[in-house]
Amino acid sequence: MTKNVMTEEKKGNKITSYIRKRMKRRDKARKEKKVFSGLAELPNGRASDKITQGCLVLEGGALRGVYTSGVLDALMENDINLSVVVGVSAGALNGLNYVSGQIGRSARITLTYRHDPRYFGVRAIKRNKSIYGFKFVFDVVDAKDPFDFDTFNRPDRRFIAAATSCDNGQQVYYEKGICPDIIEACRASSAMQILSLPVEVDGEKCLDGGVSRRIPIQFAIDGGFDKIVVVRTRDREYRKKPKIVRSQALVYRKYPQFAETLRNSNLEYNKECDIIEEMEEQGKLFQIIPGKAVEVGRLEKDMEKLGTLYYEGYNDALAIMPELKKYLGIE
């Protein structure tokens, strides 16, 4: 009798444990929705053929780049298609769809496939040797939501992806029509250090463009553009603390100059922010920047937070649209 009672008690404990685990998984699934609930309402359509002269500079930030997706969709809907686009990491990925004129495509990919291990995240590394799954995007996603290569490759718009050379730690610019594989250059630009293996582009091994410059403003300065628009993924007051990179230095011992650049990357970022602020005050550029601190991580899992950030970018761009058009001379 005692034995039977104990057996039933153990069964009861197992059932209770099973139920608790199921409830825990259910609660976790609720908190981490696989797709954004407002996916169907995202803007959709095509940009016009109208081109506005100027250079668009796009900051990186991994999944924080969904803010930029919102900004660019608002620009396209308002016929602001800048003639030159330079982006780092997520900025380069957003730039692809901006130059191809596909409203909503960048956001649809992120807000649909964030939790798909073929596309993004730590589990994606095993498949892709990178945190982003480019093969998945241009094979599987492209079959459902094709990338418009014809529009992207038009000669009247320039597109540049900025990566970091593993050999010398300097930023490298790869331009469509000149680089033999601009998609591979974008993969290099977004190959997040530590989480990705180097990507070879035109004979040079590269990694995350944000290591050398998170905001590729120097490209626009060196190009002498009269009109520069910068899209940021951090608020105006944000600055980074000095970086301690002992482990990174060990990982990149074969690339000492890259490791040195990585060590100084936060300080360089702060300098970039200061340069941009000064240029803005002088009327030499126009910033579109989050109006408040961005509480979204580079590897953010919460789809509602990501969707909300998208609309913050979209609405921020709409709010400053009259000022932007005045700056660009297209009132």
Side-chain angles (χ1 to χ4, degrees), residues 206-319:
C206 295
L207 276 167
D208 189 349
V211 170
S212 47
R213 285 197 179 95
R214 288 182 174 87
I215 312 171
I217 187 61
Q218 195 60 46
F219 176 88
I221 294 171
D222 293 344
F225 295 98
D226 291 331
K227 301 296 181 181
I228 301 171
V229 178
V230 180
V231 180
R232 303 277 300 280
T233 55
R234 288 287 197 179
D235 66 280
R236 189 178 296 275
E237 304 302 321
Y238 181 81
R239 295 293 186 273
K240 289 182 174 290
K241 297 178 181 179
K243 180 178 287 190
I244 300 174
V245 289
R246 295 188 186 92
S247 59
Q248 287 92 326
L250 182 62
V251 170
Y252 294 114
R253 58 188 180 279
K254 291 184 179 179
Y255 304 111
Q257 289 179 289
F258 179 88
E260 179 66 13
T261 299
L262 179 59
R263 186 176 71 82
N264 294 320
S265 61
N266 285 2
L267 294 176
E268 291 302 316
Y269 174 77
N270 295 342
K271 290 179 184 178
E272 291 162 17
C273 294
D274 292 341
I275 289 170
I276 290 170
E277 292 291 319
E278 184 178 345
M279 291 180 68
E280 183 184 44
E281 289 178 7
Q282 296 170 353
K284 294 180 178 179
L285 61 74
F286 190 98
Q287 280 197 88
I288 305 175
I289 188 167
K292 60 181 181 180
V294 177
E295 303 296 337
V296 169
R298 291 191 307 168
L299 310 182
E300 183 63 56
K301 294 181 178 181
D302 189 321
M303 300 305 291
E304 300 310 299
K305 287 176 68 175
L306 287 171
T308 297
L309 185 59
Y310 167 83
Y311 277 109
E312 286 178 9
Y314 183 83
N315 291 323
D316 283 353
L318 291 180

Side-chain angles (χ1 to χ4, degrees), residues 47-51 99 149-158 176:
S48 71
D49 291 333
K50 182 179 179 181
I51 305 298
V99 175
F149 278 101
D150 289 339
T151 298
F152 175 77
N153 286 321
R154 282 173 46 178
D156 55 353
R157 295 185 79 183
R158 295 173 64 192
K176 80 175 175 78

Side-chain angles (χ1 to χ4, degrees), residues 2-15:
T2 303
K3 183 177 180 181
N4 289 339
V5 170
M6 290 298 293
T7 301
E8 291 300 320
E9 190 176 307
K10 287 182 179 179
K11 286 181 179 179
N13 289 338
K14 286 183 178 180
I15 292 172

Side-chain angles (χ1 to χ4, degrees), residues 53-83:
Q53 295 302 310
C55 182
L56 179 65
V57 178
L58 304 177
E59 182 176 2
L63 291 180
R64 283 191 293 271
V66 76
Y67 176 87
T68 303
S69 302
V71 170
L72 299 187
D73 285 348
L75 295 187
M76 287 189 280
E77 287 184 333
N78 283 271
D79 290 338
I80 299 180
N81 307 302
L82 287 158
S83 58

Side-chain angles (χ1 to χ4, degrees), residues 158-228:
R158 295 173 64 192
F159 171 77
I160 300 94
T164 303
S165 167
C166 291
D167 290 328
N168 60 31
Q170 300 299 305
Q171 190 148 90
V172 188
Y173 303 115
Y174 295 107
E175 183 166 352
K176 80 175 175 78
I178 299 174
C179 173
D181 190 342
I182 192 63
I183 301 302
E184 194 72 352
C186 288
R187 189 165 82 88
S189 179
S190 60
M192 199 179 297
Q193 40 92 10
I194 299 299
L195 298 178
S196 307
L197 292 178
V199 177
E200 187 168 314
V201 184
D202 202 15
E204 185 161 19
K205 289 185 177 180
C206 295
L207 276 167
D208 189 349
V211 170
S212 47
R213 285 197 179 95
R214 288 182 174 87
I215 312 171
I217 187 61
Q218 195 60 46
F219 176 88
I221 294 171
D222 293 344
F225 295 98
D226 291 331
K227 301 296 181 181
I228 301 171

